[in-house]
Amino acid sequence: MRTRFRCLVAIWLVMVAVLFLVPGTAGTAPERLTSVLGDEFLWGVAASGFQSEGQSPDSNWTRYIEANPGWDRLGASVDFRSRYRSDIALAKQMGVKVFRVGLEWARLEPQAGVWDSAALGFYDGLIDAIVAAGMRPMLTLDHWVYPGWEADRGGWRNPGMVADWLTNMRKVVDRYAVRNPVWVTINEPVAYIMHEVTQNGTDADQMLGRVAQAHNGIYDYIHQVQPNALVTSNVGYVAGAESQVNGPLMALIGDKLDFIGVDYYFGYAAPELAAQTQGAAAAPAGMWDLPISPEGIYYALQRYSRQFPGKPLWIVENGMPTYDGHPRADGYTRSDHLRDTVYWLQRAKADGMNVIGYNYWSLTDNFEWGSYAPRFGLYTVNVRTDPALTRIPTDAVATYRDIIAHDGVAAGYLPVRPVADCQLVDPPASCATPVAAR
């Protein structure tokens, strides 16, 4: 198993390294899909601490940035630390019901055994503001960042890492469980492992076991403190290779997931197929060039609805990257992508999949693990050129507000993006049981 997972991570590294190099035909008459999701559907937005707060204390990731001079410097990022109240107000104006944020271990415990009272005060105020705005907090315990003193001990190479991790996270749970948050224990564990392998020489198999141990341990603890909690560890879905990439992880933690959290972004394109069907002869320059297949979210939900029958499904992250604020060359807008994606969520729900929530990544642009060039925000922020860090609404702000107000896209809506060749979506499932817009 150890050797097999190490090989799979190597495959994963090759498949998605490009993400970090820069840090259908309409069918018959449309059926009514409006309100399939229902009034209780949990519409949300997502962010992470390190990517948006700015001015991070010493951590594994501040060190990785320093070790990679070609990357953008983090700086103040979008300064969420100072602007969280106004950013939460922007989310409230759209009618958002869930606001996902991260709680940075490096900020909370800057020295081993020493908790920072100012950091606690910041997160107290942040979570209180989310609740006061009528939204439920979704709290991420670990979004790939740990303190510098833990990096000095070797990070996940350290046999004591799990114990240290659990000590911090139990304190976080004790403090904030009373606010009835939804919990994300560890964000996209396999991508986390990928970064630690490439930046810190971590053994993939060893880290997989330790991450699973950490998740399972804090899952049990959360339910002791907050018995009715909803807890997950979200997977970064890899079209065409999900079983190989995230299968070993799910085998270790699948019994301790209250809902399946899925991050879905891209379709699948083998290089030779992409060249034939899309004229793409060169490798993508960045994640904005990767294949966008909104219908693929249907297959991601289908896969996990079959693997975990009846268990709730939540899209914890979804969005579309653009390059540095420029329109896409194909003219596909953020609004188009959002409506098309919600259409496929409604199709999944109508077909019996227990979809309960959707978070847009992200409320604002942020630091995408080495670069400010990829833009995902509903509100764009020109970090590198605008000292004021102005939040500029994209076309998708009004679109998301309308979607939330009407519980989805309107009856009769058909996706702007045609259904792609099945081999470019999520093979083999997308070819074995193809779904068409209708």
Side-chain angles (χ1 to χ4, degrees):
M1 171 61 135
R2 291 173 58 82
T3 301
R4 180 172 177 270
F5 184 70
R6 188 180 293 112
C7 291
L8 292 172
V9 169
I11 294 170
W12 166 247
L13 285 168
V14 173
M15 291 174 62
V16 302
V18 67
L19 301 186
F20 306 97
L21 289 176
V22 181
T25 303
T28 57
E31 64 183 51
R32 180 173 180 79
L33 294 172
T34 305
S35 300
V36 167
L37 297 175
D39 293 341
E40 301 304 312
F41 192 78
L42 296 166
W43 300 102
V45 290
S48 86
F50 185 83
Q51 292 176 266
S52 59
E53 289 173 5
Q55 307 298 345
S56 176
D58 183 33
S59 71
N60 61 322
W61 263 93
T62 61
R63 297 183 184 193
Y64 298 159
I65 293 169
E66 288 303 312
N68 288 273
W71 291 3
D72 284 337
R73 306 297 90 179
L74 177 66
S77 186
V78 294
D79 193 26
F80 183 70
R81 282 185 69 208
S82 301
R83 304 167 194 243
Y84 70 85
R85 293 186 187 280
S86 56
D87 282 350
I88 289 168
L90 295 177
K92 180 179 180 180
Q93 289 166 15
M94 289 185 288
V96 165
K97 298 179 182 179
V98 175
F99 199 112
R100 180 189 174 202
V101 293
L103 304 175
E104 287 298 296
W105 181 9
R107 197 177 297 283
L108 289 168
E109 193 181 5
Q111 301 176 46
V114 178
W115 276 53
D116 188 303
S117 59
L120 288 167
F122 162 62
Y123 288 119
D124 288 350
L126 169 59
I127 294 168
D128 285 348
I130 292 170
V131 173
M135 292 178 276
R136 188 172 183 182
M138 176 182 275
L139 304 182
T140 306
L141 294 174
D142 186 335
H143 204 122
W144 306 353
V145 181
Y146 50 83
W149 57 265
E150 195 67 74
D152 291 337
R153 296 180 179 182
W156 290 96
R157 294 184 285 111
N158 170 26
M161 177 64 157
V162 174
D164 292 346
W165 191 95
L166 287 170
T167 296
N168 171 79
M169 302 312 171
R170 287 180 187 127
K171 290 180 180 291
V172 171
V173 171
D174 287 344
R175 191 174 187 96
Y176 298 119
V178 68
R179 308 305 279 164
N180 192 33
V182 178
W183 297 96
V184 177
T185 59
I186 299 169
N187 180 76
E188 294 190 10
V190 174
Y192 191 2
I193 292 169
M194 179 195 75
H195 285 297
E196 291 299 296
V197 169
T198 56
Q199 300 296 328
N200 196 36
T202 304
D203 180 272
D205 298 304
Q206 188 178 74
M207 184 171 171
L208 175 68
R210 288 174 179 168
V211 163
Q213 185 181 353
H215 166 83
N216 292 339
I218 202 64
Y219 175 92
D220 289 340
Y221 188 78
I222 290 170
H223 281 280
Q224 292 174 24
V225 178
Q226 186 185 340
N228 296 320
L230 289 174
V231 184
T232 200
S233 175
N234 52 320
V235 296
Y237 193 85
V238 182
E242 181 64 9
S243 295
Q244 298 92 324
V245 173
N246 285 305
L249 170 74
M250 297 302 277
L252 296 174
I253 70 171
D255 290 341
K256 293 184 184 294
L257 298 170
D258 298 317
F259 64 94
I260 306 302
V262 178
D263 295 0
Y264 179 84
Y265 288 99
F266 304 109
Y268 172 77
E272 65 278 8
L273 289 172
Q276 293 169 11
T277 61
Q278 299 176 358
M287 62 177 72
W288 48 84
D289 286 334
L290 293 175
I292 299 295
S293 299
E295 69 272 25
I297 207 166
Y298 180 98
Y299 296 102
L301 293 166
Q302 183 184 72
R303 172 183 291 274
Y304 281 109
S305 70
R306 291 173 174 175
Q307 185 174 349
F308 298 93
K311 187 162 283 193
L313 307 166
W314 192 325
I315 300 298
V316 173
E317 292 181 22
N318 171 257
M320 183 185 75
T322 56
Y323 172 65
D324 213 20
H326 298 290
R328 288 177 57 90
D330 60 7
Y332 196 51
T333 69
R334 202 170 297 286
S335 283
D336 292 337
H337 179 261
L338 179 54
R339 292 191 193 97
D340 286 0
T341 298
V342 172
Y343 170 89
W344 291 108
L345 291 180
Q346 293 175 204
R347 287 290 300 276
K349 183 78 169 185
D351 288 347
M353 301 176 213
N354 187 18
V355 191
I356 65 169
Y358 170 87
N359 296 341
Y360 194 90
W361 180 274
S362 55
L363 178 65
T364 67
D365 295 332
N366 53 39
F367 184 78
E368 286 295 335
W369 308 108
S371 178
Y372 285 110
R375 304 288 187 93
F376 283 89
L378 292 164
Y379 286 84
T380 200
V381 183
N382 296 311
V383 173
R384 295 186 289 196
T385 60
D386 178 16
L389 299 175
T390 307
R391 274 60 170 155
I392 304 169
T394 68
D395 60 307
V397 170
T399 297
Y400 201 26
R401 183 186 301 118
D402 184 71
I403 285 171
I404 294 171
H406 295 94
D407 301 321
V409 293
Y413 179 83
L414 287 175
V416 172
R417 192 77 157 191
V419 172
D421 184 297
C422 70
Q423 295 183 76
L424 301 177
V425 181
D426 191 9
S430 51
C431 292
T433 55
V435 60
R438 63 186 186 192

